[in-house]
Amino acid sequence: MSGKVCSSNSVVQARRVVDQLRVEAGMERTKVSLVAAELVQYCQDHMRTDPLVTGVVASANPFKDRKTCALL
């Protein structure tokens, strides 16, 4: 009997996989070239306010060390 239960479970699992693949195949996809172009445009539009590009002013940096290390 356990062979039938195992077989039944694998059939149910296979049906779920097939259903999921059908859903994914039916989804409308956006071309990668369009998305890449939009991403480049977004980066260029926001370049002036990006701290990774422009840097952070030392006075506005919350991670700046408050004290300097001095060896005695």
Side-chain angles (χ1 to χ4, degrees):
M1 264 203 218
S2 66
K4 289 183 181 181
V5 172
C6 182
S7 176
S8 175
N9 286 340
S10 63
V11 169
V12 169
Q13 186 178 12
R15 285 184 181 161
R16 287 182 183 157
V17 170
V18 169
D19 289 340
Q20 179 64 32
L21 290 173
R22 284 184 180 148
V23 167
E24 290 177 17
M27 293 177 69
E28 186 174 331
R29 304 209 189 300
T30 306
K31 298 271 184 191
V32 173
S33 59
L34 295 176
V35 174
E38 289 177 5
L39 181 60
V40 168
Q41 186 62 43
Y42 177 85
C43 290
Q44 289 174 348
D45 291 344
H46 294 85
M47 187 170 26
R48 290 186 200 112
T49 60
D50 189 348
L52 295 175
V53 176
T54 60
V56 177
V57 179
S59 62
N61 186 354
F63 301 105
K64 180 182 174 188
D65 289 335
R66 302 284 184 228
K67 300 178 186 178
T68 58
C69 181
L71 294 174
L72 299 175

